[in-house]
Amino acid sequence: MTALWGGIVVMTVGCFALKYAGLSVPERVLQHPLTVRAVELIPAGLLGALIAVQVFADGSSVQVDARLLALGVAAVLLALRVPFLPMVVAAAVVAALVRQL
Amino acid sequence: MTTDRSIIVDSLGVGLATGAYGVSFGAISTASGLSVLQTCLISLLVFTGASQFAFVGIIASGGNPLTGALTAILLGSRNLFYGVSMAPKLDLDPAQRLATAHFVIDESTAMGVTRTSRRQARLGFYWTGISIFVLWNLSTAAGAWAGNAIGDPRTYGLDAAVGAAFLGLLWPRLSSVQGRLVALVGAAVALGLVPVTSAGLPIILGGGTAVLLGMLWRPGGRS
């Protein structure tokens, strides 16, 4: 089994276990304020980090290129309440066009 | 008054809008170097959008698949709380729980948890969850096939699409000052670590640091 398949299996089991546990665990077990707060903050922290790496990293170096412009376009479209799919497609098209220039 | 019919119509609307963006997951996943089979299996078996995008994003940037899986699981931790809030409304025995758990995601919870009657909570939850599941998988397959067929993903800006997809997922959380700060700290720490750690780690460490700081920070100066 390759590492990639291994990662897929771990992710599958882990993600399902969380969903199943949520339906099974009594509410008071998870009521600790620290747990609630951590789970509230995790998506923002991780997605912030993911965006930064996705947009600026090229291997182990940091660089600014067409991806940043695409992200800017995505932000403007989101502010204008454009739905997810057209927003993502527009960002890709902008990056593709800039690279053609 | 909310009728059963209007709940089903609303749920299908959400299902259509959300399920369709499986196309971008499929295309991005194959562009990240996963096979069409792997891409389709992930949508089928993992079925939680942000986690799936995170996993393929980390693979694309050369990260270790286990780091990718860990990030995906951390992002999926919110589903734990969705399950807790849906459980009393669904009232399931263990076998039903096993069959239902897969459909616990952002949208199904949002469309179920706000209903006043148990019957309508179930209608909203299942119609939303199952319609997204069906469409998400069909559109993933379409996107994976198309992405696989077009050659170098950079020519089409698919690498830039990943950042846009993450921003779309993050956007609702930027409405609070704390959400914005935590996202910003996560981004800054991750970026600082890119040159000095192996791929994938900046995301876990950046996100982790941001969450820790966010937990220490008390809005309004409460101690």
Side-chain angles (χ1 to χ4, degrees):
Chain A
M1 197 169 67
T2 64
L4 189 51
W5 279 110
I8 292 174
V9 170
V10 171
M11 167 172 61
T12 298
V13 172
C15 287
F16 185 81
L18 285 167
K19 293 173 172 181
Y20 185 77
L23 288 176
S24 315
V25 171
E27 202 166 347
R28 60 185 154 71
V29 176
L30 294 170
Q31 257 174 354
H32 197 284
L34 281 181
T35 321
V36 177
R37 234 166 119 64
V39 171
E40 236 174 55
L41 297 176
I42 284 171
L46 276 180
L47 287 169
L50 277 161
I51 292 169
V53 170
Q54 211 58 242
V55 172
F56 293 105
D58 186 14
S60 63
S61 65
V62 172
Q63 65 174 46
V64 172
D65 58 26
R67 292 173 294 177
L68 182 60
L69 189 66
L71 188 74
V73 169
V76 170
L77 294 179
L78 283 164
L80 296 172
R81 296 179 181 275
V82 171
F84 188 89
L85 196 56
M87 178 275 294
V88 171
V89 171
V93 168
V94 166
L97 286 177
V98 168
R99 283 176 187 153
Q100 294 294 316
L101 295 176
Chain B
M1 192 188 128
T2 317
T3 62
D4 289 359
R5 196 186 139 83
S6 75
I7 289 179
I8 294 172
V9 170
D10 287 356
S11 298
L12 287 175
V14 172
L16 209 66
T18 311
Y21 78 72
V23 170
S24 51
F25 173 72
I28 287 166
S29 175
T30 47
S32 306
L34 283 84
S35 68
V36 173
L37 175 68
Q38 286 168 330
T39 300
C40 291
L41 278 178
I42 288 174
S43 272
L44 209 58
L45 300 175
V46 178
F47 187 52
T48 176
S51 297
Q52 298 180 217
F53 276 112
F55 183 77
V56 302
I58 288 170
I59 300 296
S61 60
N64 183 311
L66 280 179
T67 315
L70 183 60
T71 312
I73 292 168
L74 278 175
L75 265 175
S77 62
R78 65 198 193 288
N79 290 331
L80 186 68
F81 284 77
Y82 295 159
V84 170
S85 52
M86 280 310 296
K89 308 228 168 204
L90 295 171
D91 191 25
L92 306 165
D93 65 38
Q96 290 169 327
R97 239 180 271 153
L98 208 56
T100 299
H102 207 41
F103 304 110
V104 177
I105 55 171
D106 301 271
E107 294 81 5
S108 58
T109 307
M111 296 298 285
V113 82
T114 52
R115 310 294 172 188
T116 43
S117 78
R118 188 169 277 183
R119 176 187 162 75
Q120 295 200 333
R122 287 179 187 172
L123 276 179
F125 175 83
Y126 283 111
W127 278 92
T128 306
I130 295 173
S131 64
I132 292 178
F133 182 74
V134 171
L135 207 66
W136 177 257
N137 279 287
L138 289 175
S139 61
T140 294
W145 176 80
N148 210 32
I150 58 175
D152 182 8
R154 284 179 158 250
T155 318
Y156 304 89
L158 274 180
D159 55 332
V162 189
F166 286 135
L167 187 64
L169 296 169
L170 176 64
W171 200 257
R173 299 181 180 274
L174 295 179
S175 54
S176 74
V177 176
Q178 190 174 36
R180 284 196 288 270
L181 280 176
V182 168
L184 211 61
V185 170
V189 174
L191 213 52
L193 290 173
V194 162
V196 292
T197 56
S198 61
L201 282 181
I203 294 159
I204 292 266
L205 296 176
T209 309
V211 170
L212 279 179
L213 288 177
M215 290 182 72
L216 292 171
W217 182 59
R218 294 279 185 279
R222 282 179 291 125
S223 57

